[in-house]
Amino acid sequence: MSDAIKHECGIALLRLKKPLEFYKEKYGSSFYAIQKMYLLMEKQHNRGQDGAGLASIKLDMEPGERYISRVRSNKTSPIQDIFSQINGRINEELEARPELVNDVAAQKADLPYVGEVYLGHVRYGTFGKNNIESVHPFLRQNNWMHRNLIVAGNFNLTNVKELFADLIRLGQHPKEMADTVTVMEKIGHFLDDEVTDLYFDCKNEGLSKREASPIIGERLDIGRILKRASKNWDGGFAMAGMIGHGDAFVLRDPAGIRPAFHYEDDEIVVVASERPVIQTAFNVPLESIKELNPGEAVIIKKNGNVSFEQILDPLEKKSCSFERIYFSRGNDASIYKERKALGRLMMPYILDEIQGDTQNTVFSYIPNTAETSFFGMIEGAQDYLNEKKIAAILANQGELSAEKLSEILSTTIRTEKITIKDAKLRTFITDDSSRDDMVEHVYDVTYGVVKPTDTLVVIDDSIVRGTTLKKSIIKMLDRLNPKKIMVVSSAPQIRYPDCYGIDMAKMETLIAFTASLELLKDRNMYHIVDEVYAKCKAQENLHDAEVINHVKEIYAPFTDQEISDKISVMLRPDTVKADVKIVFQTVENLHQACPDNLGDWYFTGNYPTHGGNRVVNRAFMNFYEGKDARAY
């Protein structure tokens, strides 16, 4: 994606099912789990590079012995930083006490992070919040072991204000109105409730307080707690948690918006945001890794029993298609095929634009993440060229010489590595012209491969704001002196903000939205903007289930092609000599390429939860009122 956007988060939950001595004997180290957690988190660094955190729990520790450890970092390379801290602590202890090296029981008792249950998290700092307090996992502490709660998630809730108000009605005093804090306190409240009820049950059975403690842990109903806590959550989430005595869980949202995959054998249980991460870390086959169902929780009890429980009634599955287009790592088998399909499906539009003239067309991609869709695009171009060759051979079969056949077969698709991203350049002068000049030089180009008669086709994952295209990429490509520059987006036009975890919250930053506004002005239809604002304002106090997305009316007067043409004009810098054309994927083709991930609200405005409609209307009202604020 040429436009950098902050997005997503990554989670990794690992539970060892055997005693630590088993891993020492089989794998040569009692630090097996720490090493695997490093892999699980590092292989998901694409999901968050602003902060990382890890928490661990030791099972069956005696009173007075530390059983929870947590480390967080918001430094540059935070994953490496937290594991450097962990390794530093462990190595210091081992150097000071060499007798610990082969004593697994002593290691567990005396070394931090050596335990059986682990929760890791990587994140991007959205909305300017990247202080250490915002880094997961979050910890809710208590002297009762099973009232300690650790939470981390890949999520965003649309109704944090309402959930915050619920906590106040329950008599709590949350320290801030943040979605993670709100979620943790909501779960924590019902955890406290459950523990209290179980304590009185034990008391009625004649058990002492000390005798009751392990019984409470055994009887704790995690599914019931999650059902009560998540009852009114609206949003996309893969919420992971650990309870002090050793229970753990991951809950997925009922529309399956955010991803979660799990694997279990007789040694481990693992849950992560991406499937190939588990494949790589544990060298297990793809088919053995399962997707957590929408609204379902995987619950791992302290005794190692694993169960799956339907916590929330599933909605129509609308898994985030941006995961397939861009966010998730492309080494997942199905994602790789889907990205190639996205590129291949663009070929009819490209061929129409170049009028079938592949001889005078150079194909490339930008940025590197678009490489897989580029392969698909080229396969489509090759299929077209093969059809032309077959037609030419059949047309000349009566008088086909070796020279003529060689001429026909020698025609190829012209592909080049046109752009190379340079080292990160910085400007130390703050005026806009200096900054823009530096942005223009973020990429280098390959000279000498494009002719003045050529059309240069470059494919991108998606186009959000178009800022990098206008200020850098198109100017840079124009230096090669092509006749025409064609930028192909493997994703459809992004028209609506996201409210489920991607940092696309403001309408005015979306090039498709601003292009539509310009079209309304051009055609003397800008009154529609005022009418949409009035309709949004009238719904401001309605219940979410009653709210309609009226922002769709901004786009309704225009075809996709008209908006694309306007975007092409708006993103063409005045100094560029070549013609510029921007071509977008269709929503229909997106669904054809990614049939199991149909979440498309940022393209269509069809939000999978009621809160989405309220958020998009609020985002539009913020734009209209000139408010620089998030809509949720």
Side-chain angles (χ1 to χ4, degrees):
M1 183 182 296
S2 53
D3 288 316
I5 63 171
K6 300 295 181 75
H7 62 85
E8 300 302 294
C9 290
I11 59 169
L13 181 99
L14 176 62
R15 165 63 198 268
L16 302 182
K17 296 173 72 176
K18 304 277 191 183
L20 291 178
E21 287 79 5
F22 170 87
Y23 305 94
K24 170 73 171 175
E25 183 175 343
K26 182 172 182 178
Y27 300 105
S29 174
S30 50
F31 311 132
Y32 169 84
I34 296 173
Q35 294 163 355
K36 292 302 183 183
M37 285 302 297
Y38 174 70
L39 271 177
L40 289 168
M41 293 173 68
E42 183 57 48
K43 293 296 182 181
Q44 294 186 98
H45 78 269
N46 53 298
R47 306 186 72 85
Q49 298 171 32
D50 289 342
L54 177 76
S56 66
I57 290 178
K58 302 170 186 279
L59 301 181
D60 299 316
M61 300 300 285
E62 293 297 322
E65 294 180 330
R66 187 184 182 108
Y67 60 96
I68 294 177
S69 297
R70 180 181 63 153
V71 58
R72 298 182 294 174
S73 174
N74 62 347
K75 293 183 178 179
T76 304
S77 303
I79 299 172
Q80 289 83 352
D81 181 49
I82 65 172
F83 282 94
S84 176
Q85 292 184 55
I86 291 169
N87 291 335
R89 290 278 306 280
I90 291 174
N91 289 332
E92 282 177 16
E93 290 288 336
L94 292 177
E95 287 173 12
R97 300 171 59 192
E99 69 275 10
L100 292 179
V101 172
N102 293 309
D103 189 340
V104 177
Q107 287 178 7
K108 178 176 174 179
D110 297 341
L111 297 182
Y113 308 105
V114 179
E116 293 90 353
V117 197
Y118 291 83
L119 177 58
H121 188 269
V122 295
R123 76 184 292 270
Y124 278 112
T126 55
F127 302 104
K129 288 186 177 181
N130 196 36
N131 50 38
I132 194 67
E133 289 78 16
S134 299
V135 179
H136 303 206
F138 279 51
L139 174 60
R140 188 178 192 260
Q141 293 181 289
N142 195 286
N143 270 346
W144 283 61
M145 183 178 278
H146 26 55
R147 289 180 190 257
N148 283 283
L149 176 65
I150 303 165
V151 171
N154 167 17
F155 72 103
N156 198 74
L157 301 181
T158 69
N159 60 336
V160 175
K161 291 180 180 177
E162 290 86 348
L163 296 173
F164 184 82
D166 286 345
L167 291 176
I168 295 171
R169 281 193 290 271
L170 290 170
Q172 294 195 18
H173 191 97
K175 61 182 181 180
E176 62 176 310
M177 192 189 295
D179 45 12
T180 309
V181 172
T182 304
V183 164
M184 183 172 63
E185 293 301 335
K186 194 84 167 175
I187 298 172
H189 171 79
F190 291 109
L191 173 62
D192 289 345
D193 255 14
E194 186 84 5
V195 169
T196 301
D197 290 345
L198 288 171
Y199 167 69
F200 283 112
D201 289 344
C202 291
K203 187 178 179 181
N204 291 335
E205 293 170 21
L207 297 173
S208 69
K209 291 180 179 179
R210 184 163 185 174
E211 290 170 332
S213 190
I215 302 299
I216 290 171
E218 290 174 14
R219 296 180 182 178
L220 208 57
D221 188 340
I222 303 300
R224 182 167 178 264
I225 293 168
L226 292 176
K227 284 176 182 176
R228 298 175 73 192
S230 64
K231 183 179 179 182
N232 297 317
W233 292 356
D234 186 290
F237 49 87
M239 203 72 68
M242 303 189 297
I243 299 170
H245 67 284
D247 287 357
F249 65 86
V250 177
L251 169 63
R252 193 180 186 193
D253 68 84
I257 295 170
R258 299 271 67 90
F261 296 88
H262 59 90
Y263 168 78
E264 179 188 5
D265 59 26
D266 61 348
E267 296 180 10
I268 59 161
V269 184
V270 60
V271 186
S273 294
E274 297 192 25
R275 180 170 56 181
V277 170
I278 301 175
Q279 285 182 262
T280 300
F282 296 96
N283 192 27
V284 293
L286 179 149
E287 58 272 12
S288 65
I289 301 168
K290 307 301 181 184
E291 186 176 7
L292 193 61
N293 293 323
E296 186 179 61
V298 53
I299 298 169
I300 310 159
K301 290 293 290 179
K302 175 183 175 290
N303 62 12
N305 288 342
V306 179
S307 62
F308 296 86
E309 189 167 341
Q310 196 68 44
I311 304 299
L312 296 161
D313 292 336
L315 304 172
E316 181 182 1
K317 190 178 180 185
K318 292 290 185 179
S319 300
C320 175
S321 57
F322 250 125
E323 289 281 352
R324 322 304 283 185
I325 297 166
Y326 174 71
F327 292 151
S328 292
R329 290 168 71 93
N331 61 333
D332 182 282
S334 59
I335 289 177
Y336 184 80
K337 292 175 184 177
E338 289 167 12
R339 289 182 184 174
K340 285 185 71 175
L342 287 169
R344 179 186 284 272
L345 289 166
M346 290 306 298
M347 272 315 298
Y349 308 102
I350 297 169
L351 290 170
D352 184 59
E353 190 63 34
I354 65 175
Q355 298 180 336
D357 183 9
T358 56
Q359 284 187 295
N360 291 298
T361 302
V362 175
F363 295 90
S364 193
Y365 57 91
I366 190 169
N368 287 343
T369 51
E371 186 177 19
T372 306
S373 56
F374 167 76
F375 290 149
M377 177 178 72
I378 295 308
E379 286 182 2
Q382 195 63 56
D383 288 346
Y384 167 76
L385 191 58
N386 288 340
E387 290 174 6
K388 284 186 67 175
K389 289 179 181 180
I390 292 168
I393 290 169
L394 293 175
N396 291 275
Q397 59 184 331
E399 48 189 45
L400 196 61
S401 65
E403 291 78 14
K404 182 64 177 177
L405 180 60
S406 178
E407 178 188 336
I408 293 171
L409 294 179
S410 65
T411 307
T412 59
I413 297 298
R414 295 169 62 197
T415 62
E416 303 289 351
K417 176 76 171 177
I418 289 293
T419 61
I420 304 163
K421 192 164 187 179
D422 208 342
K424 195 167 186 179
L425 297 172
R426 299 182 184 276
T427 176
F428 301 99
I429 304 171
T430 57
D431 67 276
D432 290 341
S433 59
S434 297
R435 189 181 299 109
D436 290 349
D437 182 63
M438 294 300 284
V439 168
E440 187 178 340
H441 292 85
V442 167
Y443 291 90
D444 280 336
V445 289
T446 304
Y447 292 96
V449 295
V450 177
K451 305 191 300 287
T453 55
D454 286 338
T455 294
L456 178 54
V457 176
V458 292
I459 191 165
D460 193 352
D461 307 286
S462 57
I463 299 169
V464 185
R465 297 179 288 269
T467 307
T468 308
L469 277 178
K470 183 169 185 176
K471 291 188 175 182
S472 174
I473 294 172
I474 292 174
K475 288 181 181 180
M476 171 199 66
L477 296 177
D478 192 56
R479 291 188 217 132
L480 301 176
N481 297 312
K483 177 183 70 175
K484 187 174 189 174
I485 297 168
M486 185 176 176
V487 181
V488 178
S489 170
S490 68
Q493 297 167 6
I494 298 170
R495 298 181 173 190
Y496 304 92
D498 182 77
C499 53
Y500 304 122
I502 306 171
D503 194 8
M504 296 190 301
K506 298 177 182 177
M507 296 292 307
E508 61 270 25
T509 63
L510 308 178
I511 185 61
F513 177 72
T514 55
S516 298
L517 295 182
E518 290 301 312
L519 285 172
L520 290 173
K521 291 176 185 175
D522 292 345
R523 302 184 187 184
N524 295 317
M525 300 169 67
Y526 204 77
H527 59 88
I528 289 176
V529 174
D530 301 316
E531 293 166 4
V532 169
Y533 173 74
K535 291 176 181 179
C536 292
K537 197 72 177 174
Q539 297 184 106
E540 200 168 16
N541 297 315
L542 293 181
H543 188 274
D544 285 355
E546 303 173 286
V547 175
I548 296 169
N549 178 3
H550 286 294
V551 182
K552 290 182 177 183
E553 296 170 33
I554 296 293
Y555 302 99
F558 314 116
T559 64
D560 292 354
Q561 187 63 55
E562 287 173 318
I563 295 173
S564 294
D565 289 345
K566 191 64 177 179
I567 291 172
S568 300
V569 172
M570 292 173 68
L571 295 186
R572 182 182 183 273
D574 294 337
T575 56
V576 165
K577 300 182 292 296
D579 291 337
V580 174
K581 182 73 173 180
I582 314 291
V583 180
F584 290 88
Q585 186 72 266
T586 65
V587 173
E588 292 74 22
N589 279 349
L590 170 68
H591 290 170
Q592 182 180 333
C594 310
D596 298 322
N597 290 64
L598 300 177
D600 60 7
W601 53 90
Y602 14 69
F603 309 126
T604 64
N606 298 328
Y607 288 87
T609 75
H610 295 309
N613 289 333
R614 175 176 49 78
V615 168
V616 68
N617 286 353
R618 180 69 261 173
F620 180 81
M621 289 189 285
N622 286 344
F623 152 74
Y624 189 93
E625 295 167 1
K627 291 181 179 177
D628 184 18
R630 62 185 293 185
Y632 51 88

